[in-house]
Amino acid sequence: MKVLFIQLISLLTILSSASGKTECRLSSLPPWSHKVLAGGCSRAFAQAVLYPVDALRTLAQTRDGRTLADVGTGALIKGCGQTSSFALFTGAFQFGIYGVVQPKYGHLIASACGAAGSCLVR
């Protein structure tokens, strides 16, 4: 989780320094960057929130008889930071591409392009 926040802060720092100012103002950024930031942050946040639920589901589906008491509650968040930071870049690509393509070609084409673009990260 700490890695995710460090990467998010470094991304905001890079974007703010690219505009030549020391403070980050969203109005000074290009319009497509808003969609990149929003898509990446929302995807990372959703992954971080749902990761423990997914870990519980995986534990329930295993047939080796282990329970949450056996593996400990730390197993629910082990790997959450790495997965969420990966989701940050995947979401940024997907929703950034969608936001650029959608006004010109519509929702269906933009969704397909965004999904294909997010595969580039994987």
Side-chain angles (χ1 to χ4, degrees), residues 16-111:
S16 66
S17 65
S19 65
K21 299 178 181 176
T22 56
E23 62 185 38
C24 181
R25 293 182 183 219
L26 289 178
S27 61
S28 66
L29 298 174
W32 57 266
S33 66
H34 296 223
K35 292 174 178 53
V36 170
L37 284 172
C41 292
S42 63
R43 188 89 175 251
F45 179 75
Q47 184 67 38
V49 169
L50 294 176
Y51 189 86
V53 176
D54 189 43
L56 276 174
R57 180 188 56 85
T58 304
L59 182 64
Q61 290 177 346
T62 58
R63 297 179 185 248
D64 59 358
R66 293 186 304 167
T67 63
L68 183 60
D70 297 334
V71 296
T73 55
L76 294 181
I77 58 170
K78 186 177 181 182
C80 183
Q82 181 180 9
T83 304
S84 297
S85 64
F86 178 71
L88 175 82
F89 296 112
T90 305
F93 264 77
Q94 182 177 2
F95 290 106
I97 292 171
Y98 175 85
V100 170
V101 174
Q102 188 271 329
K104 190 169 184 178
Y105 297 106
H107 296 291
L108 183 64
I109 301 296
S111 296

